[in-house]
Amino acid sequence: MADMQAALADVLASIDDITVRLRPGAVQELATSGDRSLVPRVQAALERCLDDEDHEGVELLAGILAGIRGTRAFPLLLRAVARPVQHEWEGLQATLAGLMAADPAGCRPAVLAFAAERHRDLRCAGLWALGHVVTPADVELLEAALRDADRRVRGTALGALSELHGDERVVPAMVGMLRDPELGLRSGALMSLGYYGDLAALDSMVTLRHDPSVLVREVLSVSVGQLVVPTWRSPRQQPGPPATAAQVETARAALRELLRDENRSVRGCAERGLGMMGRL
């Protein structure tokens, strides 16, 4: 036990002083030690690194805490990732993703509790995590979040919903986001529909060819090609029925119109979309 305390002291020293070199394997030793007496010091140091926005320190300490406590560390780390910072807690998110992958059922209660929080940052943390453990039972919760007044809540919910495939309620919910006032969410919905979607969304998607946002028109051009040509979809997506002749013509007509767009980049994306459909 004393050796583990000394090893932790070395890790903490390396976090506080960049000239102190971290011994290779030290973090892994601590994470796999099972020594719960280390937890108070690790948590205290983690709080300090969170306050200082020390991303590297947070990543090291979160890994140690997750290794020692497993899923029991999940709520504390999920609350930590909710802290608003200039740059996302990527290392901390990776630690949380690992815990959810190892024990999705064990993490889901905390995820759902956070996703139902009134505080925006906590709710968004829960909705982000829900994307890693999402099930059809979560569709109603996500549909409600897609109607939230807060843009960040809607965007995080859209990301989680895009991880759920095969439920007949998903595509209509994403189609509804094509009318969102935020251009980033309209373009996000287009990308999700093109990458994972179904041809039933095509008619709704092509209405955005007149969208005032250049970004939305660019994304539409490529997403239509991905939607119509199954070989361009994600390997995770099961191939659906091929596009009918009428659907191919609908897609081509929209892209031909975008070839005349006033924006050069949109025209280039339209050419790319048509190129995807070249053999149809």
Side-chain angles (χ1 to χ4, degrees):
M1 294 299 181
D3 288 343
M4 288 298 100
Q5 292 289 348
L8 177 58
D10 290 342
V11 170
L12 297 181
S14 73
I15 292 172
D16 293 335
D17 184 350
I18 61 172
T19 66
V20 176
R21 297 187 63 181
L22 182 61
R23 178 172 58 82
V27 171
Q28 182 65 16
E29 285 180 10
L30 290 163
T32 58
S33 68
D35 186 352
R36 295 186 183 182
S37 71
L38 302 173
V39 169
R41 291 180 68 193
V42 174
Q43 289 186 185
L46 177 62
E47 286 296 325
R48 186 172 69 252
C49 287
L50 287 166
D51 289 339
D52 294 341
E53 295 190 21
D54 180 348
H55 286 67
E56 185 175 352
V58 166
E59 181 176 354
L60 292 176
L61 294 165
I64 293 170
L65 190 62
I68 294 172
R69 300 212 66 202
T71 303
R72 285 169 292 186
F74 183 81
L76 184 149
L77 296 179
L78 188 57
R79 183 173 292 275
V81 88
R83 292 196 182 200
V85 286
Q86 186 173 1
H87 302 290
E88 289 187 349
W89 299 106
E90 293 182 358
L92 182 53
Q93 288 176 332
T95 298
L96 285 163
L99 288 171
M100 288 186 281
D103 186 6
C107 293
R108 265 185 67 83
V111 171
L112 294 174
F114 273 70
E117 282 277 356
R118 296 175 65 89
H119 190 286
R120 184 195 69 169
D121 295 333
L122 296 177
R123 188 181 183 193
C124 285
L127 291 169
W128 165 79
L130 190 58
H132 291 265
V133 295
V134 68
T135 74
D138 304 318
V139 172
E140 289 186 8
L141 183 156
L142 291 170
E143 286 176 331
L146 291 176
R147 297 189 295 269
D148 196 88
D150 190 280
R151 177 241 183 271
R152 187 177 164 213
V153 170
R154 298 197 307 276
T156 311
L158 178 63
L161 189 67
S162 69
E163 296 298 324
L164 184 63
H165 316 304
D167 190 291
E168 62 183 8
R169 297 168 293 175
V170 171
V171 169
M174 287 187 177
V175 166
M177 294 300 291
L178 297 177
R179 299 185 295 273
D180 195 276
E182 292 285 339
L183 69 90
L185 299 187
R186 296 197 301 278
S187 61
L190 282 170
M191 285 189 283
S192 293
L193 287 166
Y195 206 51
Y196 301 111
D198 114 14
L199 288 161
L202 178 62
D203 288 341
S204 298
M205 292 170 67
V206 297
T207 62
L208 270 66
R209 65 190 184 278
H210 302 133
D211 195 277
S213 165
V214 169
L215 172 64
V216 170
R217 300 198 306 275
E218 289 174 338
V219 173
L220 171 65
S221 300
V222 177
S223 294
V224 165
Q226 290 175 324
L227 181 65
V228 172
V229 186
T231 56
W232 286 88
R233 296 185 194 168
S234 163
R236 292 186 294 168
Q237 178 74 6
Q238 293 295 320
T244 65
Q247 288 170 327
V248 172
E249 183 51 37
T250 294
R252 281 184 169 152
L255 293 180
R256 285 196 292 265
E257 185 173 341
L258 288 166
L259 282 177
R260 302 189 295 274
D261 194 275
E262 62 183 18
N263 185 275
R264 179 179 180 181
S265 181
V266 173
R267 296 195 300 271
C269 289
E271 289 179 2
R272 181 181 171 191
L274 283 168
M276 293 178 184
M277 294 185 288
R279 295 185 181 181
L280 294 180

